[in-house]
Amino acid sequence: RILGIVTRTSAFAIDVPETLLGRARRRDASACEQLYRCFERPVYSTALKMLGCPDAAMDALQDTFMKAFEKLPAFRGDAPFWGWLRQIAINECLMRLRGRGRDEPEESEAFEPDLLEHEGLLPPQAADAARLTDALRQLPDRTRAVLWLYHAEGHTHEEIAALLGQSVSFSKSHLARGTRRLRALLQVTEAPHA
């Protein structure tokens, strides 16, 4: 548990040498910069998928690292560093979502505005990721957060309800509605039942 929330495993893993963490704990600027450079992209990616807005994701990235460096002396290494850092990032995103006080998607510039226009030039996985990111941005904030927490982070409906300060039925209904909306945005048809 980190910050009172069960952490999840991730496919993204980087071994962080204890010597580097030790230097960062002592506020060594080059060690802190190395950690930032190593993890800025996955933290930003997580924030962008949850918040749907590049500016908000950048703010969450900065605040995540400020809090991580502040709390680093207390990090015991019981869990992988990325899991600990990712949970701080998720908490930052959740705090922003709760602070918005509305369930509307934010108007924002596209993360990669011309990415979908040149889909044929990209590997299929990159084109699919770009389409998914664009579709997620079109969902209401809390719906996007529920989808991300459930599918990407592996949280249960009970955990999502606690994280968002809502009921379990809130999580289930947002997951169902969000999945339907995402399928429509991606034009995904369900397989026929046999």
Side-chain angles (χ1 to χ4, degrees):
R1 288 185 172 263
I2 295 174
L3 303 175
I5 298 168
V6 177
T7 58
R8 302 291 178 212
T9 58
S10 169
F12 176 80
I14 291 179
D15 284 336
V16 179
E18 184 55 41
T19 55
L20 178 63
L21 287 174
R23 288 178 33 228
R25 282 185 186 103
R26 293 187 301 275
R27 310 274 191 237
D28 177 283
S30 69
C32 290
E33 183 177 347
Q34 279 182 278
L35 286 174
Y36 180 85
R37 295 288 171 223
C38 193
F39 291 97
E40 71 177 313
R41 175 169 261 157
V43 168
Y44 178 80
S45 178
T46 297
L48 182 61
K49 286 181 176 77
M50 285 191 71
L51 299 172
C53 172
D55 291 338
M58 187 57 74
D59 289 344
L61 168 71
Q62 300 305 319
D63 288 347
T64 294
F65 275 99
M66 285 176 50
K67 284 191 177 161
F69 290 139
E70 178 184 307
K71 296 172 186 268
L72 192 56
F75 175 66
R76 295 185 313 265
D78 298 341
F81 180 76
W82 167 237
W84 179 77
L85 183 63
R86 186 180 74 221
Q87 194 58 58
I88 294 172
I90 289 169
N91 288 344
E92 281 299 311
C93 293
L94 290 171
M95 187 174 63
R96 280 170 170 70
L97 289 172
R98 285 189 292 262
R100 286 182 182 172
R102 59 185 170 83
D103 203 16
E104 300 291 326
E106 246 187 38
E107 291 294 321
S108 65
E109 64 203 63
F111 177 57
E112 294 288 342
D114 61 346
L115 196 54
L116 295 176
E117 294 173 18
H118 304 293
E119 198 171 301
L121 304 175
L122 298 171
Q125 296 86 348
D128 289 347
R131 288 182 64 221
L132 179 59
T133 299
D134 186 56
L136 282 169
R137 285 183 58 250
Q138 296 177 52
L139 297 177
D141 293 337
R142 291 185 180 154
T143 300
R144 182 176 50 252
V146 168
L147 284 168
W148 179 259
L149 290 168
Y150 187 83
H151 289 295
E153 297 296 327
H155 287 283
T156 65
H157 287 295
E158 291 77 13
E159 292 168 332
I160 294 168
L163 287 168
L164 295 176
Q166 299 290 335
S167 67
V168 171
S169 62
F170 170 91
S171 177
K172 289 179 179 180
S173 66
H174 275 265
L175 181 67
R177 277 185 287 177
T179 300
R180 280 193 305 273
R181 180 73 179 124
L182 204 53
R183 285 181 191 276
L185 289 167
L186 296 171
Q187 299 176 356
V188 174
T189 58
E190 292 189 42
H193 296 287

